[in-house]
Amino acid sequence: MRYDLNLLPVFLALMEERSVTRAAVRLGITQPALSNSLNRLRETLHDPLFIRERYGIKPTELAEEIAPTIEVALAQLDDLVSNQQEFQPAQAERLFTLAPNSYAELVLMPALAARMRQLAPGIKLRMMPFGNDLAETGVTSGTTAMVFGRIVDPPDNLVVQHLMDDGLACVVRADHPEIGGHISREQFESLKHVNVLPPGRLRAGLFQALGQQNLKREVAVSVTHFLAVPEMLVATDYCATLPRLICRSLERDPRLKVLPPPVDLGSFPVQMAWHVRYRHDPAHRWLRSMIGELAREMTAKET
């Protein structure tokens, strides 16, 4: 029996997304092209595979039954082909889709882009956001190469690697009328604060750290990205508590000053995860090694 192996990633994307539209976006193809592939799958397997519902599609019993087998088979094929290939970064041409949270996008990705420009100029990087839902990034189906941030309760088909730990610091405007070279607990609690509400676990980590130290904070403004904080601070007498590696770049802004927090707020982990099918992929392994090296370099500068 002859069949098209290219149809199998389409099947897995539909299983993960439960939406033809989202699956097409994830695979980088048009919706009509994906619908055509789905029709060919249905003809091959003699089953509708997915049934339309009000808010998407639902897999049939056969689809649920064969999904694990197809996932394992694709992973084994990827390993077989990858092991026969020699990866040469300088000559490679490839697109990697990465899903960093807002912290990793600001801290890690610029350094990665610069390193790739030097060592592998033919490799392109595409970023997509990572909030709380791993499935939405495409990493659980393997259509996204890696995800970066806090990985909580990963499924069995993901490999998780710890990259580094980061701490927290306080930032105020340089000419703040009340804050000099340090900030006391009383000053911290009397000030109003700018709070960052990025998607994901980083938000919960800060609230937990403050709670563990019984440190009160009155939030005056909440923003959705770290990049919004500097202008908020320059225009007000507010304070922000941010990751230290982000504060490192803010130290170059003469309008701002970075101070240690009044109490030890601990640290938070930064992790990287990828689908098991990429364990032996030479290009993927090289990229993972590069990212790990960059993380080590960044944390070495902090010590």
Side-chain angles (χ1 to χ4, degrees):
M1 179 179 180
R2 299 180 62 184
Y3 54 89
D4 187 352
L5 286 174
N6 292 320
L7 300 178
L8 301 185
V10 171
F11 173 81
L12 290 181
L14 288 167
M15 284 294 297
E16 289 285 344
E17 292 292 345
R18 307 297 169 97
S19 163
V20 172
T21 301
R22 291 197 300 269
V25 171
R26 178 180 292 189
L27 294 171
I29 61 178
T30 64
Q31 188 171 334
L34 188 140
S35 296
N36 180 60
S37 296
L38 176 56
N39 288 333
R40 291 165 60 196
L41 269 169
R42 286 166 167 164
E43 292 174 3
T44 300
L45 298 173
H46 306 290
D47 188 88
L49 296 177
F50 298 95
I51 308 299
R52 288 193 177 276
E53 292 188 324
R54 183 175 181 182
Y55 297 109
I57 56 175
K58 177 182 178 181
T60 64
E61 290 185 8
L62 177 64
E64 294 277 12
E65 180 182 344
I66 66 176
T69 301
I70 291 177
E71 186 173 0
V72 170
L74 277 180
Q76 291 174 340
L77 283 172
D78 287 343
D79 285 350
L80 178 64
V81 174
S82 297
N83 287 337
Q84 303 305 313
Q85 296 176 337
E86 181 181 356
F87 181 65
Q88 298 179 328
Q91 287 76 44
E93 293 187 2
R94 184 163 170 175
L95 170 66
F96 281 102
T97 299
L98 308 177
N101 66 3
S102 56
Y103 167 87
E105 186 172 18
L106 191 57
V107 170
L108 273 173
M109 295 302 109
L112 176 61
R115 189 66 56 88
M116 301 300 282
R117 182 175 179 269
Q118 291 178 332
L119 302 180
I123 291 183
K124 297 178 174 60
L125 303 175
R126 174 178 174 261
M127 310 293 169
M128 63 182 303
F130 166 43
N132 282 321
D133 195 333
L134 282 170
E136 288 183 356
T137 67
V139 72
T140 55
S141 64
T143 54
T144 292
M146 301 170 206
V147 63
F148 303 86
R150 184 74 180 273
I151 315 298
V152 179
D153 299 326
D156 292 340
N157 64 357
L158 288 192
V159 181
V160 180
Q161 176 183 336
H162 179 270
L163 285 176
M164 60 185 185
D165 293 297
D166 198 0
L168 297 163
C170 295
V171 188
V172 296
R173 63 186 176 97
D175 58 349
H176 197 287
E178 300 173 27
I179 308 300
H182 70 280
I183 182 170
S184 69
R185 184 185 189 105
E186 292 73 19
Q187 288 172 323
F188 184 95
E189 293 186 335
S190 67
L191 290 173
K192 293 186 177 181
H193 292 255
V194 178
N195 186 46
V196 183
L197 292 174
R201 300 283 177 170
L202 186 60
R203 171 177 54 191
L206 175 56
F207 279 105
Q208 289 170 1
L210 293 171
Q212 289 170 356
Q213 293 290 347
N214 197 27
L215 191 62
K216 298 179 176 60
R217 183 180 63 153
E218 181 184 352
V219 175
V221 180
S222 291
V223 298
T224 60
H225 201 284
F226 295 109
L227 293 176
V229 173
E231 299 307 318
M232 287 287 183
L233 296 179
V234 169
T236 67
D237 292 335
Y238 297 164
C239 174
T241 304
L242 303 174
R244 279 203 303 257
L245 287 176
I246 290 180
C247 290
R248 181 191 291 174
S249 64
L250 297 183
E251 287 177 329
R252 297 192 291 267
D253 190 331
R255 304 172 302 166
L256 302 171
K257 58 184 173 185
V258 177
L259 306 167
V263 297
D264 183 7
L265 294 176
S267 63
F268 61 90
V270 182
Q271 298 161 305
M272 171 173 66
W274 62 91
H275 197 284
V276 292
R277 76 174 58 163
Y278 295 121
R279 283 176 301 187
H280 305 300
D281 181 297
H284 203 281
R285 291 171 61 183
W286 179 84
L287 183 58
R288 298 197 307 261
S289 175
M290 181 65 58
I291 293 167
E293 181 179 324
L294 288 171
R296 289 190 293 273
E297 291 175 5
M298 288 180 176
T299 51
K301 293 178 182 178
E302 287 289 297
T303 58

PDB file of all heavy atoms in Angstrom, residues 184-199:
ATOM      1  N   SER A 184      14.891  50.645  51.136  1.00  0.00           N
ATOM      2  CA  SER A 184      14.564  49.915  52.352  1.00  0.00           C
ATOM      3  C   SER A 184      13.215  49.221  52.217  1.00  0.00           C
ATOM      4  O   SER A 184      12.442  49.505  51.297  1.00  0.00           O
ATOM      5  CB  SER A 184      14.529  50.867  53.543  1.00  0.00           C
ATOM      6  OG  SER A 184      13.412  51.756  53.431  1.00  0.00           O
ATOM      7  N   ARG A 185      12.943  48.339  53.142  1.00  0.00           N
ATOM      8  CA  ARG A 185      11.647  47.660  53.155  1.00  0.00           C
ATOM      9  C   ARG A 185      10.515  48.671  53.285  1.00  0.00           C
ATOM     10  O   ARG A 185       9.500  48.572  52.594  1.00  0.00           O
ATOM     11  CB  ARG A 185      11.605  46.657  54.311  1.00  0.00           C
ATOM     12  CG  ARG A 185      10.337  45.815  54.356  1.00  0.00           C
ATOM     13  CD  ARG A 185      10.284  44.928  55.592  1.00  0.00           C
ATOM     14  NE  ARG A 185       9.180  43.997  55.481  1.00  0.00           N
ATOM     15  CZ  ARG A 185       9.302  42.714  55.206  1.00  0.00           C
ATOM     16  NH1 ARG A 185      10.482  42.197  54.995  1.00  0.00           N
ATOM     17  NH2 ARG A 185       8.237  41.932  55.124  1.00  0.00           N
ATOM     18  N   GLU A 186      10.689  49.664  54.175  1.00  0.00           N
ATOM     19  CA  GLU A 186       9.658  50.670  54.380  1.00  0.00           C
ATOM     20  C   GLU A 186       9.422  51.481  53.111  1.00  0.00           C
ATOM     21  O   GLU A 186       8.278  51.789  52.758  1.00  0.00           O
ATOM     22  CB  GLU A 186      10.047  51.594  55.536  1.00  0.00           C
ATOM     23  CG  GLU A 186      10.052  50.932  56.906  1.00  0.00           C
ATOM     24  CD  GLU A 186      11.250  49.982  57.104  1.00  0.00           C
ATOM     25  OE1 GLU A 186      12.257  50.113  56.351  1.00  0.00           O
ATOM     26  OE2 GLU A 186      11.164  49.119  57.997  1.00  0.00           O
ATOM     27  N   GLN A 187      10.500  51.854  52.437  1.00  0.00           N
ATOM     28  CA  GLN A 187      10.359  52.612  51.195  1.00  0.00           C
ATOM     29  C   GLN A 187       9.664  51.778  50.122  1.00  0.00           C
ATOM     30  O   GLN A 187       8.792  52.272  49.407  1.00  0.00           O
ATOM     31  CB  GLN A 187      11.733  53.065  50.705  1.00  0.00           C
ATOM     32  CG  GLN A 187      12.351  54.176  51.527  1.00  0.00           C
ATOM     33  CD  GLN A 187      13.793  54.444  51.122  1.00  0.00           C
ATOM     34  OE1 GLN A 187      14.562  53.530  50.800  1.00  0.00           O
ATOM     35  NE2 GLN A 187      14.165  55.720  51.134  1.00  0.00           N
ATOM     36  N   PHE A 188      10.066  50.524  50.003  1.00  0.00           N
ATOM     37  CA  PHE A 188       9.453  49.633  49.014  1.00  0.00           C
ATOM     38  C   PHE A 188       7.950  49.562  49.227  1.00  0.00           C
ATOM     39  O   PHE A 188       7.163  49.643  48.274  1.00  0.00           O
ATOM     40  CB  PHE A 188      10.075  48.238  49.117  1.00  0.00           C
ATOM     41  CG  PHE A 188       9.580  47.257  48.088  1.00  0.00           C
ATOM     42  CD1 PHE A 188      10.279  47.052  46.905  1.00  0.00           C
ATOM     43  CD2 PHE A 188       8.415  46.506  48.303  1.00  0.00           C
ATOM     44  CE1 PHE A 188       9.825  46.135  45.953  1.00  0.00           C
ATOM     45  CE2 PHE A 188       7.960  45.598  47.364  1.00  0.00           C
ATOM     46  CZ  PHE A 188       8.670  45.414  46.191  1.00  0.00           C
ATOM     47  N   GLU A 189       7.528  49.404  50.493  1.00  0.00           N
ATOM     48  CA  GLU A 189       6.105  49.231  50.781  1.00  0.00           C
ATOM     49  C   GLU A 189       5.339  50.551  50.685  1.00  0.00           C
ATOM     50  O   GLU A 189       4.119  50.538  50.492  1.00  0.00           O
ATOM     51  CB  GLU A 189       5.939  48.611  52.171  1.00  0.00           C
ATOM     52  CG  GLU A 189       6.451  47.178  52.234  1.00  0.00           C
ATOM     53  CD  GLU A 189       6.170  46.500  53.569  1.00  0.00           C
ATOM     54  OE1 GLU A 189       6.028  47.212  54.587  1.00  0.00           O
ATOM     55  OE2 GLU A 189       6.069  45.256  53.577  1.00  0.00           O
ATOM     56  N   SER A 190       6.029  51.685  50.807  1.00  0.00           N
ATOM     57  CA  SER A 190       5.337  52.971  50.712  1.00  0.00           C
ATOM     58  C   SER A 190       5.197  53.457  49.277  1.00  0.00           C
ATOM     59  O   SER A 190       4.324  54.280  48.973  1.00  0.00           O
ATOM     60  CB  SER A 190       6.079  54.039  51.533  1.00  0.00           C
ATOM     61  OG  SER A 190       7.356  54.315  50.959  1.00  0.00           O
ATOM     62  N   LEU A 191       6.061  52.952  48.387  1.00  0.00           N
ATOM     63  CA  LEU A 191       6.000  53.369  46.991  1.00  0.00           C
ATOM     64  C   LEU A 191       4.839  52.693  46.260  1.00  0.00           C
ATOM     65  O   LEU A 191       4.341  51.652  46.675  1.00  0.00           O
ATOM     66  CB  LEU A 191       7.304  52.992  46.268  1.00  0.00           C
ATOM     67  CG  LEU A 191       8.560  53.767  46.641  1.00  0.00           C
ATOM     68  CD1 LEU A 191       9.766  53.152  45.955  1.00  0.00           C
ATOM     69  CD2 LEU A 191       8.422  55.242  46.257  1.00  0.00           C
ATOM     70  N   LYS A 192       4.455  53.302  45.143  1.00  0.00           N
ATOM     71  CA  LYS A 192       3.560  52.628  44.207  1.00  0.00           C
ATOM     72  C   LYS A 192       4.419  51.919  43.156  1.00  0.00           C
ATOM     73  O   LYS A 192       5.544  52.323  42.883  1.00  0.00           O
ATOM     74  CB  LYS A 192       2.605  53.626  43.566  1.00  0.00           C
ATOM     75  CG  LYS A 192       1.616  54.217  44.563  1.00  0.00           C
ATOM     76  CD  LYS A 192       0.598  55.098  43.885  1.00  0.00           C
ATOM     77  CE  LYS A 192      -0.418  55.614  44.909  1.00  0.00           C
ATOM     78  NZ  LYS A 192      -1.461  56.483  44.290  1.00  0.00           N
ATOM     79  N   HIS A 193       3.844  50.857  42.585  1.00  0.00           N
ATOM     80  CA  HIS A 193       4.652  49.979  41.744  1.00  0.00           C
ATOM     81  C   HIS A 193       4.046  49.775  40.362  1.00  0.00           C
ATOM     82  O   HIS A 193       2.827  49.834  40.185  1.00  0.00           O
ATOM     83  CB  HIS A 193       4.821  48.621  42.429  1.00  0.00           C
ATOM     84  CG  HIS A 193       5.664  48.680  43.662  1.00  0.00           C
ATOM     85  ND1 HIS A 193       6.958  48.233  43.709  1.00  0.00           N
ATOM     86  CD2 HIS A 193       5.381  49.165  44.915  1.00  0.00           C
ATOM     87  CE1 HIS A 193       7.441  48.419  44.921  1.00  0.00           C
ATOM     88  NE2 HIS A 193       6.501  48.978  45.668  1.00  0.00           N
ATOM     89  N   VAL A 194       4.965  49.516  39.418  1.00  0.00           N
ATOM     90  CA  VAL A 194       4.589  49.063  38.081  1.00  0.00           C
ATOM     91  C   VAL A 194       4.732  47.546  38.073  1.00  0.00           C
ATOM     92  O   VAL A 194       5.796  47.007  38.396  1.00  0.00           O
ATOM     93  CB  VAL A 194       5.487  49.680  36.998  1.00  0.00           C
ATOM     94  CG1 VAL A 194       5.094  49.138  35.611  1.00  0.00           C
ATOM     95  CG2 VAL A 194       5.391  51.203  37.020  1.00  0.00           C
ATOM     96  N   ASN A 195       3.661  46.865  37.720  1.00  0.00           N
ATOM     97  CA  ASN A 195       3.642  45.411  37.718  1.00  0.00           C
ATOM     98  C   ASN A 195       3.605  44.895  36.282  1.00  0.00           C
ATOM     99  O   ASN A 195       2.877  45.426  35.450  1.00  0.00           O
ATOM    100  CB  ASN A 195       2.405  44.912  38.478  1.00  0.00           C
ATOM    101  CG  ASN A 195       2.409  43.403  38.623  1.00  0.00           C
ATOM    102  OD1 ASN A 195       3.423  42.822  38.973  1.00  0.00           O
ATOM    103  ND2 ASN A 195       1.277  42.786  38.363  1.00  0.00           N
ATOM    104  N   VAL A 196       4.426  43.896  35.995  1.00  0.00           N
ATOM    105  CA  VAL A 196       4.437  43.296  34.662  1.00  0.00           C
ATOM    106  C   VAL A 196       3.581  42.039  34.690  1.00  0.00           C
ATOM    107  O   VAL A 196       3.756  41.178  35.549  1.00  0.00           O
ATOM    108  CB  VAL A 196       5.866  42.948  34.212  1.00  0.00           C
ATOM    109  CG1 VAL A 196       5.855  42.379  32.787  1.00  0.00           C
ATOM    110  CG2 VAL A 196       6.750  44.179  34.278  1.00  0.00           C
ATOM    111  N   LEU A 197       2.675  41.946  33.764  1.00  0.00           N
ATOM    112  CA  LEU A 197       1.790  40.786  33.687  1.00  0.00           C
ATOM    113  C   LEU A 197       2.072  39.988  32.418  1.00  0.00           C
ATOM    114  O   LEU A 197       1.239  39.922  31.518  1.00  0.00           O
ATOM    115  CB  LEU A 197       0.326  41.230  33.698  1.00  0.00           C
ATOM    116  CG  LEU A 197      -0.191  41.837  35.001  1.00  0.00           C
ATOM    117  CD1 LEU A 197      -1.604  42.365  34.807  1.00  0.00           C
ATOM    118  CD2 LEU A 197      -0.164  40.811  36.110  1.00  0.00           C
ATOM    119  N   PRO A 198       3.277  39.412  32.313  1.00  0.00           N
ATOM    120  CA  PRO A 198       3.527  38.567  31.149  1.00  0.00           C
ATOM    121  C   PRO A 198       2.739  37.283  31.282  1.00  0.00           C
ATOM    122  O   PRO A 198       2.417  36.866  32.396  1.00  0.00           O
ATOM    123  CB  PRO A 198       5.029  38.291  31.232  1.00  0.00           C
ATOM    124  CG  PRO A 198       5.308  38.337  32.690  1.00  0.00           C
ATOM    125  CD  PRO A 198       4.385  39.388  33.260  1.00  0.00           C
ATOM    126  N   PRO A 199       2.424  36.628  30.158  1.00  0.00           N
ATOM    127  CA  PRO A 199       1.776  35.326  30.275  1.00  0.00           C
ATOM    128  C   PRO A 199       2.736  34.323  30.869  1.00  0.00           C
ATOM    129  O   PRO A 199       3.939  34.407  30.681  1.00  0.00           O
ATOM    130  CB  PRO A 199       1.425  34.976  28.819  1.00  0.00           C
ATOM    131  CG  PRO A 199       2.421  35.749  28.013  1.00  0.00           C
ATOM    132  CD  PRO A 199       2.666  37.022  28.769  1.00  0.00           C
TER     133      PRO A 199
END
